[in-house]
Amino acid sequence: MLGKPALPSINLDKTPMLLKIFRETSAVVQVEILKLKRDPFELFSRAVQPLLWLLVFGKVMAQVKGVAENEIDYLSFLAPGILAQSLLFSSIFYGISIIWEKDLGVVHKLLVSPAFTFSLVLGKAMAASFRGISQAVIVYLASFLIGVKVSWSFSSILGVVGLVILSSGLFSTFSLIIACLVKTRERFMGIGQLLSMPLFFASNAVYPLSLMPPVIKFLAQLNPLTYLVDALRYFMIDSGAPEHSMIWNFGILVVFFGLFLYIATRLYPGIIR
Amino acid sequence: MASTLTNNPGEPPEQALSAAIELVALSKSYHGFHVVDAISFKAGYGRIFGLLGPNGAGKSTTVKMLVTLSESSAGRAFVNGFDIEKQTQAVRTSLGYVPQLISADGNLTAYENLNFSAKLYGLLHSERKPRIYEALTFMGLFEHKDKIVKNFSGGMIRKLEIAQAILHKPRVLFLDEPTVGLDILARSTVWEKLRYLKSELNTSILITTHSMEEAEILCDDIAIMQQGKIVVQGDIKSLKETIGEHASLSDVFVHYCDNSMVDRGNYKDARQTRFTVDKLG
């Protein structure tokens, strides 16, 4: 039977901090992947929307010729935008699972453990990134099938994977912040709907910044999705021309992700109050 | 199996070891309202302490502060000799917690649930499997280790949560309404396991409960809370003697609680209790 604990000391975890963060974060990610493998329906259902955007909206808009086609056709212009939209939409509602875990009591178990809160938040973000990669695979394949000039070089794919991990983490952490603030599923759904469409349309996902009225253009320049789309366009599409340097695009995304991680780490313990 | 709970860095100061749990004027206020109002008590090592009281008395809030889920507004408290505000990591390593809500993940197997906890508690890779098997065997769940938890009965879920809470061999165990929603057989099993943990492993246990039967069967000492204050505390036998020769614990409870204010829970408390009962029942 269970060995008697020696009185009265305890064994504090002496693992170096980075190793401890890695162990705890990967534990959270593994659990999320297990659950997703057991019930992959969500992955398939989330694939429908980007496919509709590409196959219906994209095909129709390509006929309209509203967007000037310089070096790339409209479908090739649109595909990275739809990948970014897919990542945004799947991550922005990630917080609802956090509220569900809070209502069940699972969060209580996590928060009384000696694990760093930062690790728990980062683990959730990385789990969302895993989902993001599956979305990227679907959009990549669909884009290829409809004739988009997708870049298959190793460095391009590596760049896209990096962006998917970073942006899914960013938007899911943003979602976790909202969940910590609103605390109920009903309110969360309302806020999620309220934020997702403006974030999508006030970006360069479906039309270039140059076509936007000044106010929308200004808002788009404050929107991290704009920088994600710009970087995706560079990596994902052959001869894709970015508007900003990659250092700038990645820098903006890293800064937003770092800021959201910090805020979410501070707010997460308060979700149960 | 050799215990891993033997090293020095987490050792609390000697003077703090007289009690497994000690509260000194601990308070919690929301918007000026005292949910927990300067309560003090000590729970000894190797004993079961019952925190009793009507709905909304402040029992769960007190436990949440002790397990570091909620910050106190004033006062101090120690768990295994560690200050709950200043030595949070040491407190968390010292304790196991079974909340009233369901903390086991229904989409994982029993083994996966415990393995996840083992990783969060920093158990060495080589220790995890034997420790998980040991805890599952102790709680009578070994044959169910590879079954998905959402197919478990309420009693099995509660047993799994206790297995999860004792996996790292905590010195102090907190259980918030551990048998709410369970049938008599499942309740008896939980009581039997808790008594074993106390008597054989010297685990100190604090439970909150509405059930006088549960308190009478399990607890060595109790404190009755009402409206955030402790109205009486002591060992059960002495408290009964203060009421009368044949007094029951229910008599003690009714005697010390103001009947006009017995049930002060709010909508959230009621929803939480019914949710748990619904899921476990």
Side-chain angles (χ1 to χ4, degrees), chain A residues 148-171:
Chain A
V148 171
K149 292 164 191 157
V150 175
S151 172
W152 294 102
S153 74
F154 179 71
S155 58
S156 297
I157 289 175
L158 201 65
V160 171
V161 168
L163 285 166
V164 169
I165 291 173
L166 192 57
S167 58
S168 297
L170 186 162
F171 294 125

Side-chain angles (χ1 to χ4, degrees), chain B residues 29-71:
Chain B
S29 307
Y30 291 106
H31 310 298
F33 178 73
H34 299 298
V35 182
V36 175
D37 194 359
I39 64 171
S40 302
F41 65 79
K42 283 185 181 183
Y45 277 106
R47 293 175 74 78
I48 301 184
F49 189 95
L51 200 52
L52 280 59
N55 291 331
K59 307 184 296 292
S60 292
T61 307
T62 303
V63 170
K64 277 185 184 166
M65 285 190 281
L66 292 174
V67 300
T68 74
L69 281 178
S70 174
E71 288 174 3

Side-chain angles (χ1 to χ4, degrees), chain A residues 59-71:
Chain A
K59 283 282 188 188
V60 173
M61 284 300 286
Q63 305 302 317
V64 174
K65 307 283 183 193
V67 178
E69 293 179 357
N70 298 323
E71 293 178 5

Side-chain angles (χ1 to χ4, degrees), chain A residues 1-11 23 30-31 35 38 103-104 109-114 272, chain B residues 3-5 7 80 89-90 92 101-103 105 107 112 116 119 121-122 134 138 164 171 200-202:
Chain A
M1 268 308 114
L2 299 166
K4 281 194 180 189
L7 296 175
S9 55
I10 57 160
N11 188 21
R23 184 191 68 219
Q30 280 170 22
V31 160
K35 289 196 275 189
R38 213 155 266 154
D103 290 345
L104 278 175
K109 173 182 71 179
L110 301 181
L111 290 174
V112 295
S113 80
I272 57 164
Chain B
S3 168
T4 57
L5 309 179
N7 289 338
N80 195 28
Q89 284 297 97
R92 288 177 179 173
L101 291 163
I102 298 171
S103 58
D105 196 320
N107 294 312
E112 287 162 354
F116 181 40
K119 288 175 186 172
Y121 278 87
E134 193 181 22
F138 174 66
Q164 199 159 258
R171 296 295 323 283
E200 300 301 315
L201 306 182
N202 205 37

Side-chain angles (χ1 to χ4, degrees), chain A residues 127-192:
Chain A
S129 297
F130 178 80
R131 286 162 196 252
I133 287 173
S134 68
Q135 298 280 299
V137 170
I138 290 162
V139 174
Y140 245 79
L141 289 176
S143 303
F144 174 71
L145 291 174
I146 60 172
V148 171
K149 292 164 191 157
V150 175
S151 172
W152 294 102
S153 74
F154 179 71
S155 58
S156 297
I157 289 175
L158 201 65
V160 171
V161 168
L163 285 166
V164 169
I165 291 173
L166 192 57
S167 58
S168 297
L170 186 162
F171 294 125
S172 63
T173 314
F174 180 54
S175 176
L176 198 150
I177 291 171
I178 299 167
C180 291
L181 293 173
V182 302
K183 295 183 182 174
T184 69
R185 277 168 275 168
E186 295 80 5
R187 284 190 214 151
F188 183 90
M189 284 307 288
I191 300 270

